[in-house]
Amino acid sequence: MDGEPHDVPISSREHAQSLDAQDPLSHLKEQFLIPSKGQLKAESLQAASRDSASADGHDSENSIYLVYLCGNSLGPQPKLVATRLQQHLNTWSSQGVFGHFKALNQSPLPTWLDADAKASESIAPIVGAHPDEVAVMQTLTANLHFLMSAFYKPDITKRHKIILETKAFPSDHFVVETQIRHHNLNPETSMITISPPTPETPLTTDHIISILDANANDTALLLLPGIQFYTGQFLNIPLITAHARSLGIFTLWDLAHAVGNVPLQLHDWDVDAAVWCTYKYLNSGPGTIGGLFAFKNHLFKILTPSDPEQRGAQLSLQLVPGLLHVVMRELVLRSVVVDERQPDVVRVAPAPLFNSFEDCWVFVDAFAQAIEIAVKAKENGDDGKKQGIEGGELEMTS
Ligand SMILES: Cc1ncc(COP(=O)(O)O)c(C=O)c1O
């Protein structure tokens, strides 16, 4: 290939320089504020400020920039941050409350009303998700609590254990212990930790799977890191998630060290849920906002077109697999009759000749309760099939 150095050893500095010369990303370095050696030595904010330090004229160390290899801890500051923050402040000071919805010409900023949606659109390709599967919000730890509040519903007689690594990040450990205690359970009996065969060896997928298999009957949730913070090991996210799901275990991934570091395809990998922070490889600044992912199939899907011109009275609702039988049973128990199309679809048809608006309200209310009960039953390994027609199933032929 042209420009390829043929005569320099691969371990030489020249070889590294020639790779830099060909690197299509090398210009991006210019977009970051990398601290200088002089700045790092500074004892005051004034001395640390780039402008005042270089104004001294005699501090040659200010021109020596650090080889900053700590993106795994705190990414350096992008130059654009100060510009964008100032633009936000200008919008606030000049527009007041109108900043919520007035789009200014030549502004790169979304209106505040659209900021959430814009943030989801921006993060979605980075984690390989659909924008409606992600939220940019809170901190990693708070998001872990949110997701566990939604998906960890332990039953001491059935599934109640959480599995995590022995060397999990300390705050992840605290979250798990807090959640277990919140449900009046004891971490000594409801928390399982996975240790590598020796402290120095990485975890193997086989070892993780063997722990899952050994605890398959009473484990509700698995919490693992995408990339282990201590060893840097990248775990096999799709394979482990799929195995855990086959055992009825919900998997949550801590992607603090994976987001912006390795390619992620959370949707295509069928990941249940994940959380991350943005101050490491995404360079958002200390303590800034985190993110979360919940797989679309854990949300409720409407097959019927949303445009009223493209539908009649019928709504076809596709459920998460394994909920249909319990949902049908619970609807009949609440005196609501709809029909089903196996394996996962409920059809609801409020006909104008004999249904009222109140009937629709009753359905929505009953459906919400039925779904909640069905999700809980599924977590406990009950898909409602045993109850059959007596439980309320109506398999129509049309
Ligand atoms: C692997 C891992 N998990 C969790 C956290 C905690 O994140 P936060 O304090 O932003 O909630 C960190 C922070 O560095 C981390 O590295």
Side-chain angles (χ1 to χ4, degrees):
M1 193 201 286
D2 272 355
E4 189 101 348
H6 299 292
D7 47 358
V8 294
I10 198 161
S11 58
S12 67
R13 191 167 194 149
E14 288 76 15
H15 182 71
Q17 286 167 343
S18 74
L19 292 179
D20 276 340
Q22 298 169 49
D23 179 4
L25 299 182
S26 60
H27 65 285
L28 292 176
K29 186 175 183 172
E30 294 308 313
Q31 298 185 18
F32 290 90
L33 293 166
I34 310 286
S36 71
K37 205 170 171 185
Q39 282 178 313
L40 217 64
K41 280 189 176 170
E43 297 289 341
S44 71
L45 187 58
Q46 196 188 18
S49 127
R50 192 177 299 271
D51 289 345
S52 65
S54 51
D56 287 344
H58 58 264
D59 190 354
S60 61
E61 288 193 323
N62 276 317
S63 57
I64 304 174
Y65 290 93
L66 300 174
V67 179
Y68 193 86
L69 300 176
C70 273
N72 62 317
S73 182
L74 181 71
Q77 187 182 128
K79 287 180 181 166
L80 258 185
V81 166
T83 311
R84 291 283 181 265
L85 282 178
Q86 192 54 55
Q87 287 166 334
H88 270 293
L89 294 175
N90 290 349
T91 306
W92 180 21
S93 64
S94 66
Q95 303 299 312
V97 71
F98 290 95
H100 281 299
F101 39 79
K102 179 176 158 189
L104 292 172
N105 290 335
Q106 282 122 38
S107 169
L109 309 175
T111 63
W112 302 332
L113 210 61
D114 297 323
D116 253 2
K118 181 74 191 163
S120 294
E121 269 172 36
S122 304
I123 197 79
I126 296 174
V127 296
H130 296 190
D132 54 356
E133 291 174 318
V134 290
V136 176
M137 57 184 261
Q138 300 284 346
T139 62
L140 183 155
T141 306
N143 290 337
L144 262 186
H145 275 298
F146 281 125
L147 288 177
M148 284 201 196
S149 302
F151 294 113
Y152 178 55
K153 308 274 185 200
D155 177 345
I156 191 66
T157 64
K158 291 183 180 140
R159 292 182 182 272
H160 60 100
K161 289 181 184 166
I162 299 180
I163 299 180
L164 74 166
E165 345 142 68
T166 311
K167 278 204 165 187
F169 199 77
S171 51
D172 285 11
H173 253 289
F174 298 145
V175 170
V176 168
E177 291 199 26
T178 304
Q179 286 287 330
I180 288 172
R181 289 187 205 282
H182 171 72
H183 289 281
N184 293 323
L185 300 175
N186 188 340
E188 279 186 23
T189 44
S190 293
M191 186 171 85
I192 302 283
T193 63
I194 312 176
S195 301
T198 70
E200 282 73 38
T201 32
L203 289 168
T204 63
T205 304
D206 284 349
H207 183 54
I208 294 170
I209 282 175
S210 72
I211 304 281
L212 294 179
D213 289 343
N215 294 280
N217 292 334
D218 51 8
T219 298
L221 193 138
L222 168 68
L223 170 62
L224 283 176
I227 288 204
Q228 218 282 345
F229 79 96
Y230 188 70
T231 62
Q233 181 187 4
F234 185 16
L235 295 186
N236 191 331
I237 296 175
L239 197 150
I240 295 169
T241 304
H243 190 81
R245 181 170 305 134
S246 74
L247 302 174
I249 300 170
F250 187 90
T251 308
L252 242 172
W253 291 93
D254 173 343
L255 301 178
H257 290 254
V259 167
N261 178 12
V262 287
L264 295 168
Q265 291 299 332
L266 300 186
H267 181 88
D268 288 350
W269 290 347
D270 234 359
V271 164
D272 290 326
V275 293
W276 58 86
C277 53
T278 58
Y279 44 76
K280 297 178 188 292
Y281 296 98
L282 295 184
N283 307 84
S284 70
T288 45
I289 202 159
L292 65 79
F293 166 93
F295 190 68
K296 230 179 181 170
N297 279 357
H298 291 299
L299 313 170
F300 305 140
K301 184 175 172 188
I302 302 176
L303 299 179
T304 312
S306 57
D307 175 7
E309 297 297 319
Q310 294 183 54
R311 65 173 193 231
Q314 175 187 326
L315 267 192
S316 299
L317 307 172
Q318 183 168 29
L319 306 179
V320 172
L323 300 188
L324 182 67
H325 299 283
V326 178
V327 166
M328 294 299 288
R329 181 187 73 204
E330 294 299 320
L331 284 176
V332 169
L333 287 175
R334 285 161 181 74
S335 311
V336 173
V337 176
V338 297
D339 87 339
E340 67 173 58
R341 300 299 296 175
Q342 303 249 7
D344 302 314
V345 173
V346 171
R347 295 187 305 175
V348 191
L353 283 182
F354 54 86
N355 287 123
S356 64
F357 288 104
E358 190 174 359
D359 287 346
C360 298
W361 187 92
V362 169
F363 164 73
V364 173
D365 190 49
F367 189 60
Q369 293 174 33
I371 289 283
E372 198 175 323
I373 291 167
V375 168
K376 218 171 190 144
K378 188 184 164 194
E379 282 164 3
N380 292 324
D382 170 21
D383 65 4
K385 274 189 184 149
K386 281 187 220 101
Q387 276 90 0
I389 198 89
E390 281 173 14
E393 281 182 48
L394 292 176
E395 171 76 284
M396 302 292 184
T397 49
S398 56

